[in-house]
Amino acid sequence: MKPSMKLKIKRAFTNNIGLKILACIFAVGLWLVVVNVDNPNQTRTFSAPVTVINEEVLTEAGRYYTIPDGNNMVKFRVTARRSVIEQLSNSDFTATADMNFLENDSRIPVTVTVNGAYSNVTISSKKLYLQVVVGDEMMMKHEVVVETQGNPEEGCVIQSATAEPNNVTLAGPQEILSQVAKVVAYADVTNISQDLEMESVVLHFLDSNGNEVDRSRIKVDQDVAKITIKVARQKQVDVNVTTSGSLPEGLYLDSVTVNPSRITIMGDAKALNEITAINIPGSVIDLSQIQSSTTTTVDLNSYLPEGVKVAAGESSQAEITIKVSGDTTHTFEVPVANITVRNLETGLEATFDEEKVTVQIKGSKEDLSALDAKTITGYIDASGLGEGEHTLQLNLELADAYQASPATVKITIK
């Protein structure tokens, strides 16, 4: 390049240098103004759920925390360019509360950060806290209850349903564990006809109303169980009872009843086929030892062979009721037409002074109720008697079950 050309270029840049610098400054300023007018800073409110970290600080010390009303949301203000803030949503922020910084067992400072590569985003410096309630952790042991759902195949019955383990230990906040009334494992037995094993059945924590208890804050040593279902056949049979011995004198047997008189039993099919009834032997009811009406209880399972027992859901206890009654006395008006006069001398005639004779007869209530005065017969002995009025002993002709009190009859002989 020629020297004159260089000189011209140099003069072009250096002439009025002050004005040119001022023009550049003005251009930059104008650009900044335009940018701030078209894309100004804006502030908006966002919210995010708080995640608690380092919870083991409490749990390892045998303590727990809860969030009142489950409210773990925090609100905060964010400032950024309009072009940036319009792209932001609640999901772009993460809020954490570090249990290491727990204050007064009541609150944890919350740190909010923005996710992603957003620049020039300012989060309000206002201190945020997560309110918590801190307390001592408690433990309790519960039996695992197996509840069956559905019905097995017809003719089958669930003999037993067991869980392994049969109990579990729960740990957690007292106000939550106190709601747990029972721990249940559900087993579907619909149409099953043989033994069944179910692995890894989830345990359910229920309150006293049968509703599920929130288990998010509950720790359990084992949250699944192995369920074993035993299935047996069943049938209905009569319950019979016999007696031995005789009642003491003066007592009469009114009835012997057993309740239930029919019951369902279960067990191996072959063993069931050989049973037609449950027979309670006479040695159980010895009438010679009975003094009054009485009731005794027996266990029906003791009269069943091994491998067979009373079906689940029915009581194996049976009540045997023995009703007895003692002698009682009834009064009967016996027509004199039923009374025979024996050994009256030839040529004499006897007439009764009354149409009926009053007699008292003793016996059981049942026997006396079957006795009719019109069918009672008897006789008097007129041996050696002559004319005149006579009072004679009445002899009634009764079965051995009856005893008649002494009675007399007045007659006139002509």
Side-chain angles (χ1 to χ4, degrees):
M1 181 180 296
K2 295 180 178 181
S4 59
M5 182 63 69
K6 292 182 179 180
L7 183 60
K8 289 180 180 180
I9 295 174
K10 181 177 180 181
R11 286 176 179 174
F13 278 100
T14 57
N15 285 343
N16 300 316
I17 187 67
L19 291 175
K20 291 179 178 178
I21 293 173
L22 184 62
C24 288
I25 293 173
F26 177 77
V28 170
L30 182 61
W31 178 81
L32 289 174
V33 169
V34 172
V35 167
N36 279 282
V37 170
D38 289 342
N39 191 21
N41 282 341
Q42 290 190 348
T43 301
R44 291 186 184 179
T45 300
F46 293 87
S47 62
V50 180
T51 301
V52 179
I53 61 175
N54 296 319
E55 295 175 297
E56 65 274 9
V57 173
L58 278 185
T59 57
E60 289 177 357
R63 309 185 75 198
Y64 72 93
Y65 76 93
T66 57
I67 300 173
D69 300 324
N71 183 17
N72 69 332
M73 300 296 294
V74 290
K75 292 184 178 181
F76 46 90
R77 294 178 67 78
V78 176
T79 301
R81 294 292 185 185
R82 183 179 64 184
S83 59
V84 174
I85 209 163
E86 287 179 349
Q87 299 179 49
L88 295 174
S89 65
N90 290 332
S91 61
D92 290 314
F93 297 91
T94 299
T96 57
D98 191 336
M99 190 61 74
N100 283 304
F101 301 106
L102 174 67
E103 298 178 3
N104 301 321
D105 281 353
S106 62
R107 65 182 188 175
I108 310 171
V110 175
T111 301
V112 179
T113 58
V114 62
N115 308 324
Y118 293 101
S119 60
N120 298 320
V121 174
T122 303
I123 299 173
S124 171
S125 60
K126 179 184 178 181
K127 201 70 171 177
L128 301 174
Y129 292 95
L130 175 67
Q131 302 297 321
V132 295
V133 175
V134 177
D136 293 331
E137 189 176 69
M138 72 174 295
M139 299 179 66
M140 64 170 53
K141 183 174 288 188
H142 273 278
E143 178 188 4
V144 178
V145 178
V146 179
E147 292 190 0
T148 58
Q149 298 174 321
N151 298 308
E153 185 179 281
E154 187 176 357
C156 295
V157 65
I158 303 303
Q159 187 171 9
S160 65
T162 58
E164 182 184 347
N166 58 9
N167 59 70
V168 291
T169 300
L170 311 183
Q174 180 178 2
E175 63 266 25
I176 296 179
L177 289 194
S178 61
Q179 299 176 36
V180 181
K182 64 179 179 178
V183 177
V184 177
Y186 294 109
D188 186 357
V189 297
T190 303
N191 293 329
I192 67 172
S193 59
Q194 56 187 1
D195 296 349
L196 175 67
E197 287 189 352
M198 305 172 64
E199 302 284 349
S200 301
V201 177
V202 176
L203 301 181
H204 297 263
F205 307 146
L206 306 182
D207 63 19
S208 57
N209 295 321
N211 299 317
E212 293 269 359
V213 175
D214 179 14
R215 60 186 297 164
S216 61
R217 304 291 297 170
I218 298 176
K219 294 181 293 184
V220 58
D221 57 351
Q222 188 163 336
D223 58 2
V224 296
K226 176 182 177 181
I227 307 302
T228 301
I229 307 294
K230 295 290 186 182
V231 180
R233 293 286 174 177
Q234 65 179 8
K235 67 184 292 188
Q236 281 196 326
V237 294
D238 292 329
V239 180
N240 302 325
V241 60
T242 56
T243 62
S244 62
S246 301
L247 288 170
E249 186 177 354
L251 289 181
Y252 302 89
L253 183 63
D254 293 335
S255 65
V256 178
T257 58
V258 59
N259 183 37
S261 60
R262 190 169 177 80
I263 201 164
T264 303
I265 58 175
M266 65 181 185
D268 177 72
K270 182 178 179 181
L272 287 181
N273 289 337
E274 298 176 356
I275 301 174
T276 57
I278 299 178
N279 297 307
I280 302 173
S283 58
V284 176
I285 306 299
D286 183 356
L287 295 180
S288 65
Q289 304 299 314
I290 301 296
Q291 300 296 323
S292 61
S293 295
T294 186
T295 298
T296 186
T297 302
V298 297
D299 186 356
L300 296 178
N301 282 329
S302 60
Y303 307 108
L304 290 170
E306 186 176 354
V308 179
K309 64 179 182 179
V310 174
E314 296 198 33
S315 174
S316 65
Q317 303 298 304
E319 286 189 348
I320 302 174
T321 301
I322 303 98
K323 289 187 177 181
V324 299
S325 58
D327 287 336
T328 185
T329 300
H330 283 191
T331 299
F332 295 89
E333 298 291 331
V334 179
V336 294
N338 294 357
I339 300 173
T340 302
V341 180
R342 296 182 180 178
N343 301 317
L344 183 64
E345 291 186 6
T346 303
L348 297 178
E349 182 180 292
T351 58
F352 293 91
D353 294 355
E354 296 178 348
E355 293 183 356
K356 295 181 179 180
V357 180
T358 301
V359 297
Q360 291 186 328
I361 301 175
K362 182 169 65 174
S364 72
K365 183 178 179 180
E366 183 179 359
D367 288 339
L368 289 176
S369 65
L371 197 58
D372 187 350
K374 295 178 181 179
T375 64
I376 298 175
T377 60
Y379 67 91
I380 55 176
D381 188 354
S383 298
L385 297 181
E387 290 185 304
E389 294 182 353
H390 304 276
T391 301
L392 302 178
Q393 182 71 37
L394 174 61
N395 300 293
L396 294 178
E397 298 169 322
L398 297 170
D400 293 340
Y402 303 99
Q403 294 180 359
S405 299
T408 57
V409 179
K410 291 183 179 180
I411 62 172
T412 298
I413 298 178
K414 294 183 180 179

